[in-house]
Amino acid sequence: MPDVDRPASRRPDAPRRVAKHRSSRRATRRTQLIGLTAALAAAAGTTTVGLSSSATGPATANAGTGLSAAQADAVTSARIDRRDLGSRDASRIDLSLASARKAAADKVAQQRAAKLAANATLTQRRALALSAAKAAAAKKAADSAKALAVAKQAAIAKAAAIAKAAPKIVLPTTGYHLTARFNQAGGRWAHNHTGLDFAAPMGTPVRSVMAGEVIQADFEGAYGRQVKVRHADGTVTSYSHMEEFDVSVGDSVEAGSMVGRIGMTGNTTGPHVHFEVLPHGGDPIDPEPWLRDHGLNP
């Protein structure tokens, strides 16, 4: 029956509508999940979100992911921004490292320059100190040389003044009295007396009457210890019977220089000095007029 068959044919259709409605809901949910996943992937910077390879083309990729063209562009833009951000971060790190290296190198260079400057300053100070020390030493040497020259000149002047003030001739001793004269005869001598005898206490100094050179200082028999001095004009004076010598042959003496001491050596009866004058070392002459001719009165 036609009327009875229609209802029977409609009953199977109702489940098919329900199945179609459920399929539509699943597709909608799937599309939403894929869009949410793409958004999360773009935010996280992932490169794959379960989309199809770009080699298949944008249309295929969009079809595989269920993204619209705007969503696909957003994902691509997010990837590019993430990549650029990574590049900028890497560049900033590289620049920061380069800046740090440059700062460290500049610091080392500054330290080295400071050290070199300090060494140069120290070297300069040492050079200045050495130069000052040399100048001081040179000045000291010059001052010493000048002082020495002045002292030498002063010594020469003093010696000249002393020589000028010193007597040209003196008597052979002091505190004496004459006990025998020239050419005096007597039993005490083998021949007439050849000089003047100046009697004085033992040890009284005997002096050279003029400047000259000692040509003899020896023991001469009856004359005892005898010293002879040759003077500038060739005259020789002799001093005998001395207790001791105070000079040696070759010594230079001045007028008044001590040549010995009063004694009793040789042929004598008491302490005295036997004084003789021998022109050019020859025979003795009377000492009294010779002394008077030189301004002395024995």
Side-chain angles (χ1 to χ4, degrees):
M1 291 180 10
D3 294 346
V4 176
D5 293 337
R6 286 180 185 175
S9 62
R10 288 179 181 174
R11 288 180 183 177
D13 294 338
R16 281 197 294 270
R17 290 194 199 99
V18 172
K20 184 177 180 181
H21 182 68
R22 288 178 181 174
S23 175
S24 176
R25 285 182 179 179
R26 289 194 190 97
T28 301
R29 288 176 182 175
R30 182 181 178 187
T31 301
Q32 290 175 350
L33 288 173
I34 291 172
L36 180 60
T37 302
L40 291 173
T46 57
T47 57
T48 59
V49 292
L51 302 177
S52 299
S53 173
S54 59
T56 60
T60 306
N62 292 342
T65 59
L67 297 176
S68 65
Q71 290 174 335
D73 290 343
V75 170
T76 302
S77 179
R79 290 175 182 172
I80 294 171
D81 290 343
R82 185 64 180 176
R83 184 186 63 195
D84 292 344
L85 180 62
S87 294
R88 286 195 297 271
D89 290 343
S91 297
R92 290 192 188 99
I93 292 172
D94 291 341
L95 289 174
S96 178
L97 290 174
S99 178
R101 292 192 191 99
K102 185 177 184 302
D106 291 343
K107 185 177 180 181
V108 171
Q110 290 176 358
Q111 291 175 347
R112 184 177 181 184
K115 186 175 181 180
L116 290 174
N119 289 338
T121 301
L122 181 61
T123 301
Q124 185 178 12
R125 288 179 180 175
R126 287 177 177 172
L128 290 174
L130 181 61
S131 178
K134 287 183 178 179
K139 185 177 183 301
K140 184 177 180 181
D143 291 343
S144 297
K146 184 177 180 180
L148 183 62
V150 170
K152 187 176 180 180
Q153 291 296 328
I156 292 172
K158 184 177 180 180
I162 291 174
K164 184 176 180 180
K168 302 299 181 183
I169 185 168
V170 297
L171 292 172
T173 191
T174 58
Y176 65 91
H177 64 278
L178 296 176
T179 56
R181 286 181 162 79
F182 182 76
N183 209 25
Q184 184 175 338
R188 293 178 292 176
W189 310 289
H191 305 285
N192 290 346
H193 197 244
T194 54
L196 283 177
D197 286 349
F198 291 82
M202 288 284 292
T204 301
V206 175
R207 305 181 185 280
S208 175
V209 295
M210 291 193 305
E213 179 184 357
V214 177
I215 61 173
Q216 180 179 313
D218 203 355
F219 193 92
E220 286 294 324
Y223 288 98
R225 290 192 174 89
Q226 184 183 69
V227 170
K228 288 185 177 181
V229 178
R230 180 186 292 117
H231 306 289
D233 62 355
T235 301
V236 175
T237 53
S238 176
Y239 312 84
S240 303
H241 305 304
M242 290 190 297
E243 180 183 33
E244 64 181 43
F245 302 130
D246 282 8
V247 291
S248 300
V249 174
D251 289 348
S252 294
V253 294
E254 301 294 332
S257 295
M258 190 168 73
V259 296
R261 293 182 181 276
I262 295 288
M264 293 180 61
T265 59
N267 185 12
T268 179
T269 58
H272 71 284
V273 58
H274 176 75
F275 176 68
E276 292 184 357
V277 177
L278 302 91
H280 301 289
D283 293 332
I285 62 172
D286 190 351
E288 281 192 80
W290 185 85
L291 291 170
R292 290 192 182 97
D293 290 342
H294 288 82
L296 296 176
N297 185 11

